Structures are given as C-alpha cells and as structure tokens.
Amino acid sequence: MNLILLGPPGAGKGTQAKRLEQAHGLVQLATGDMLRAETASGSGLGRRIKAVMDSGALVSDEIVIEVIETRIAGSDAKNGVILDGFPRTIPQAEALDAMLARHELKLDRVILMEVDEAALIDRLAGRFSCRSCGASYHERYNRPKQGGRCDVCGAFEFVYRPDDKPEAVARRFAVYREQTAPILPYYEAKGILSRIDGMAEIDEVTRQIEAVIAR
Ligand code: ADP
Ligand code: ADP
Ligand code: ZN
C-alpha cells in the first residue's frame, strides 16, 4: 500500500505517518526530514537548502524529486510507503507518477488532512521534536509520556524548528495555498483523494485514516 498524507504545515502528517509505520509496516518518506538531514551534513548544498527552508519557501522541485527517487527505488520501499510532505507542487506530482510507473508501484490513496489556520498556528508554535529520531511533540497536545524522554527512541534532547517562527509560518501557509493546494484537483480527478477532519484529536484522526485505508 502506497499513501500520500497531504495537508498544510502542522496538519499532523508526521504524527500520523509514524503511527501508520508502526501499525502497517510501511515506511515514512518525509522530504522535510530528508532535507533537514542534508542541511545537518554541513555541505554547500546543505547550507543553501537550509536558507530556503528557514525562510519558509520551497526547495527546488529538482532537488526534492532526486531525494525522493533514491528512496522510492530503495528496497525498504517495497512493502509500501507513506509520503509525507511530497508532492508539494504539480511538477512534483507528475514526477511522482512517472517514478512510480518506472518502479512498477501504484499510488493507492491520497489523504487530505483538513485543519483550519488558527489551529495550525497554535500547533506549529508549540511543536518540538526529538533530536535523534525526529518524533514530533507538542507542548500542550502531545507531550512525551515520561517527562523529557522521547517515547519512540528514549533520547532526552529536543529541538524547535527555525521555520516554526511566525514569519516563516506565514510564508509556508501562502506557499501551501499557492503551490500545493493546486495538486488537489489532480488527485481528485484520479478518484483517489479522501478528506479527513484533521481538527480532531490525534487518536480520532488515526481512526479516520484507518477507516479510509480499510475501504
Ligand atoms: P511541515 O511538515 O511542517 O509541512 P516539512 O518538514 O514537510 O514541514 O517541510 C519543511 C520545509 O522543507 C518546507 O517548508 C520546504 O522548505 C522543504 N520541503 C519539504 N518537502 C518539500 C517538497 N516536497 N518540495 C519542496 N520543498 C520541500
Ligand atoms: P505536520 O507533519 O503536518 O507538519 P506534525 O505531525 O508535526 O504536522 O504536527 C504539528 C504539531 O501539532 C505537533 O506539535 C504535533 O504534536 C501536534 N499535533 C499533531 N496532530 C494533532 C492533533 N490532531 N491535535 C492537536 N495537535 C496535534
Ligand atoms: Zn526520539
């Protein structure tokens, strides 16, 4: 099974992708995480990518497509993937179709997580994540169960994302509206788009996603 989790910044894509990995043995392919790993490498390319990401703009289609293709071609993708944060533009959606076809893979569902902007602002302002495994938490809605220790990997260090600052958040919402929302009709036309209520609490959102993929 190959899925796309689609939604604006802060919709809960990463949170739900981690749960789907656990429950279904799928692999989460999060372009944001992959790009952050590249920026951490300290390469020249990494520095240029970091400047773009911190501003809230999109990294070029060319770079992102290359990053994702390497992973889709990899052996761990064979049991199915959850695409989180990709595609984000029409050219990326088209490139995805072409690469899936090349690897004889099929896209089963695109799940749109709908959340209103006020709730997104609140979510991004309180978001932090595990420094080692990237698991995403929230100061109020999703704290680690044992204070200060990552539920997933047990690490003790957490980080806030530079692009969760208000200026970058405003830019990311505009980018979502202008460049990413236009891919919805693309998937609607293929008859594989499902909308879910991303405003619900985390467990309820998981139930809605499970209902969609059980259909
Ligand atoms: P969020 O989950 O909050 O939407 P991501 O971690 O997916 O954020 O993405 C963070 C940043 O990484 C984006 O604002 C953008 O700069 C870059 N990025 C991630 N995925 C893509 C993509 N598919 N195309 C272009 N840029 C991307
Ligand atoms: P995305 O990957 O779409 O940018 P995340 O999964 O990182 O979103 O979630 C953004 C923030 O909101 C995180 O701090 C996360 O813990 C929190 N969060 C995720 N889902 C919900 C939810 N259904 N209700 C409240 N907070 C949520
Ligand atoms: Zn962790």
Side-chain angles (χ1 to χ4, degrees):
M1 180 169 52
N2 297 300
L3 305 172
I4 296 176
L5 287 186
L6 202 62
K13 303 179 295 293
T15 301
Q16 298 297 331
K18 288 266 181 311
R19 291 177 164 214
L20 289 168
E21 271 197 313
Q22 297 281 323
H24 297 278
L26 303 173
V27 174
Q28 175 194 17
L29 299 184
T31 40
D33 292 346
M34 294 172 195
L35 293 168
R36 275 184 290 276
E38 182 63 40
T39 66
S41 78
S43 67
L45 175 65
R47 279 195 296 277
R48 288 196 297 278
I49 292 175
K50 181 168 166 44
V52 174
M53 289 176 78
D54 288 358
S55 77
L58 291 184
V59 173
S60 76
D61 287 336
E62 199 192 353
I63 289 176
V64 176
I65 290 165
E66 189 179 324
V67 158
I68 202 94
E69 172 125 41
T70 321
R71 291 298 306 277
I72 281 188
S75 58
D76 63 341
K78 291 287 173 284
N79 293 329
V81 296
I82 310 147
L83 295 172
D84 162 6
F86 180 90
R88 264 176 152 95
T89 63
I90 297 261
Q92 290 180 22
E94 290 168 351
L96 174 65
D97 277 344
M99 73 178 86
L100 288 173
R102 274 199 297 281
H103 298 286
E104 294 179 358
L105 298 169
K106 167 171 159 278
L107 184 58
D108 296 286
R109 276 277 137 201
V110 179
I111 301 176
L112 173 64
M113 306 175 67
E114 296 182 299
V115 179
D116 69 37
E117 219 160 280
L120 294 171
I121 290 171
D122 192 36
R123 287 186 189 182
L124 293 173
R127 168 159 75 176
F128 60 96
S129 58
C130 172
R131 185 172 211 130
S132 328
C133 76
S136 183
Y137 296 97
H138 192 277
E139 286 167 3
R140 272 167 294 130
Y141 308 128
N142 185 25
R143 298 195 58 84
K145 288 183 185 63
Q146 300 177 34
R149 189 166 175 273
C150 175
D151 297 344
V152 179
C153 77
F156 290 94
E157 270 187 84
F158 298 92
V159 288
Y160 286 82
R161 279 171 43 176
D163 59 342
D164 281 343
K165 293 197 175 70
E167 317 79 72
V169 164
R171 177 99 180 259
R172 286 158 69 205
F173 288 162
V175 164
Y176 180 80
R177 280 192 299 269
E178 288 157 21
Q179 300 189 60
T180 305
I183 70 180
L184 297 175
Y186 181 85
Y187 290 119
E188 211 145 34
K190 290 177 186 282
I192 57 172
L193 184 76
S194 299
R195 294 165 195 270
I196 62 157
D197 174 18
M199 294 289 289
E201 53 135 305
I202 296 175
D203 287 344
E204 169 54 23
V205 173
T206 304
R207 280 193 286 276
Q208 291 181 46
I209 294 175
E210 291 292 347
V212 165
I213 63 187
R215 279 213 292 266

